[in-house]
Amino acid sequence: MSLGAAPRAISHALTLSAENEAVVEAVLSHLTSEQLSQSVAEDGSNAPFIWLGASDDVEGQWRWSNNGEQFWSGDFNGTAVSGQYSNWGVQPDNYGGSEDALAIGLSDWPDPFYDLGETGQWNDLDKSTPLYSLVEFEDVSDLKVTLDSPSNGNVYSGIGIVKGWAISSDGIEKVEAFVDGDLIFGVPYGDRREDVGNTFPEMQQSFESGFSSPLNFSRLTAGEHRLTVKVTDSFGTVKEKSSLFVVARFDKSFIGAGDGVELGWARDFSALGRSILIEGALIDGAFYDIKLTWRTASQNFELVEITKSQ
């Protein structure tokens, strides 16, 4: 954000109530009390505002400056154009005849009555008023995210690992894991990653950029699922990475120490290339045909097929 008169070319069109609230929350969390005091309007409201990038150069025709689209017609007794979102206080009022630019309030106003607008509501102000401006950028964050496991298209069973890495110049705030759209847990961040550090030595935390957490894949239903990691950096930028994987599982989600596992009943053992086939394994009182395949990433033979047999 920069302090100055109302922005003309660079602006932001707020089209949803949730977006309006998110903007206010983000601005108030980033501006200090000193910065807020520097962005107080000069119209007698004694309240801080920031520019949003809209104006009524033709009086009463409020348009966003990024696309020229009109969203409001008239003064505080006016109407929204085509049902578009607006969040005026008892505004716009064109006080003094020169208030032609849109700002969003960062506190209630005016002091001491607070009857013309609340935090997050809009006001029209003189364009020459020095306020901070909200500027929207496209794809300027250097937040990078990679999901190593589960990998796309692979089959998983039992307890595995959700694993990957993330870096940002702003630092990483949190990593969350979702399965089929539902949040399952927050993923601890800060694993040692020499490979990432050597590739991005200029980025902070690059050598401790890994994240990982165990996941019991067998608690999911058999079949295809989507896992998504959502990474948020300290500036509030969010990036996601997803993979589609398949779960193979026994009837029980966890085979405990007291559950029977007996391969002596198997009808056939065979091996070909990287895979081992076992037909008729007795697991917890039921017979299964199972297939194990060597995976380089885990340095292990892993279950990739589980089929109940007679």
Side-chain angles (χ1 to χ4, degrees):
M1 289 186 179
S2 60
L3 195 65
R8 301 289 293 177
I10 303 175
S11 60
H12 187 93
L14 295 185
T15 57
L16 296 171
S17 174
E19 187 179 11
N20 195 91
E21 294 175 7
V23 165
V24 174
E25 181 180 349
V27 171
L28 288 177
S29 67
H30 282 85
L31 290 183
T32 65
S33 57
E34 180 181 357
Q35 289 172 320
L36 287 173
S37 69
Q38 296 172 346
S39 199
V40 172
E42 300 171 343
D43 64 342
S45 62
N46 198 29
F49 292 84
I50 59 169
W51 294 121
L52 285 183
S55 61
D56 67 338
D57 293 328
V58 176
E59 187 61 34
Q61 295 184 19
W62 284 93
R63 299 179 182 275
W64 295 111
S65 55
N66 64 330
N67 57 22
E69 187 172 8
Q70 184 178 355
F71 61 92
W72 185 262
S73 178
D75 59 10
F76 57 85
N77 290 314
T79 57
V81 176
S82 301
Q84 293 190 66
Y85 175 74
S86 63
N87 194 38
W88 296 105
V90 187
Q91 307 291 336
D93 59 3
N94 199 30
Y95 179 75
S98 60
E99 294 188 329
D100 297 322
L102 176 63
I104 186 171
L106 301 178
S107 71
D108 299 351
W109 81 89
D111 183 15
F113 303 106
Y114 310 113
D115 58 353
L116 294 182
E118 301 176 354
T119 301
Q121 288 190 311
W122 301 353
N123 192 7
D124 59 334
L125 296 172
D126 191 306
K127 290 181 180 180
S128 64
T129 306
L131 304 176
Y132 282 100
S133 302
L134 176 66
V135 180
E136 182 179 36
F137 295 96
E138 295 286 346
D139 298 325
V140 298
S141 172
D142 61 359
L143 174 60
K144 297 178 176 61
V145 180
T146 293
L147 178 60
D148 296 323
S149 177
S151 57
N152 208 46
N154 272 356
V155 181
Y156 294 88
S157 180
I159 298 173
I161 298 293
V162 176
K163 178 181 178 182
W165 58 267
I167 52 174
S168 169
S169 294
D170 295 302
I172 301 300
E173 181 72 22
K174 60 182 177 180
V175 181
E176 299 168 297
F178 298 77
V179 171
D180 301 329
D182 296 324
L183 176 65
I184 52 173
F185 48 64
V187 185
Y189 179 78
D191 295 348
R192 186 71 177 174
R193 289 295 297 251
E194 295 282 349
D195 56 335
V196 181
N198 291 330
T199 304
F200 303 100
E202 74 286 355
M203 298 283 281
Q204 65 169 316
Q205 296 181 301
S206 61
F207 282 93
E208 287 79 34
S209 60
F211 58 80
S212 62
S213 184
L215 171 63
N216 185 358
F217 289 96
S218 291
R219 288 191 177 275
L220 304 175
T221 59
E224 188 176 77
H225 296 273
R226 177 185 294 274
L227 185 137
T228 301
V229 290
K230 178 181 177 181
V231 179
T232 306
D233 71 13
S234 298
F235 189 73
T237 303
V238 176
K239 185 167 287 189
E240 297 180 353
K241 287 290 183 179
S242 298
S243 68
L244 284 172
F245 62 94
V246 175
V247 168
R249 53 165 293 174
F250 301 103
D251 287 346
K252 292 184 65 173
S253 62
F254 185 81
I255 306 299
D259 298 320
V261 176
E262 177 58 64
L263 300 183
W265 290 93
R267 299 187 303 272
D268 187 35
F269 286 83
S270 61
L272 180 65
R274 292 172 171 259
S275 297
I276 300 171
L277 300 176
I278 304 174
E279 296 181 3
L282 182 61
I283 310 292
D284 190 35
F287 289 98
Y288 296 88
D289 297 336
I290 59 180
K291 178 179 179 181
L292 299 91
T293 295
W294 174 264
R295 285 193 178 145
T296 303
S298 65
Q299 291 291 284
N300 209 341
F301 283 97
E302 298 183 10
L303 286 169
V304 296
E305 290 183 17
I306 301 174
T307 306
K308 206 166 187 179
S309 62
Q310 298 298 325

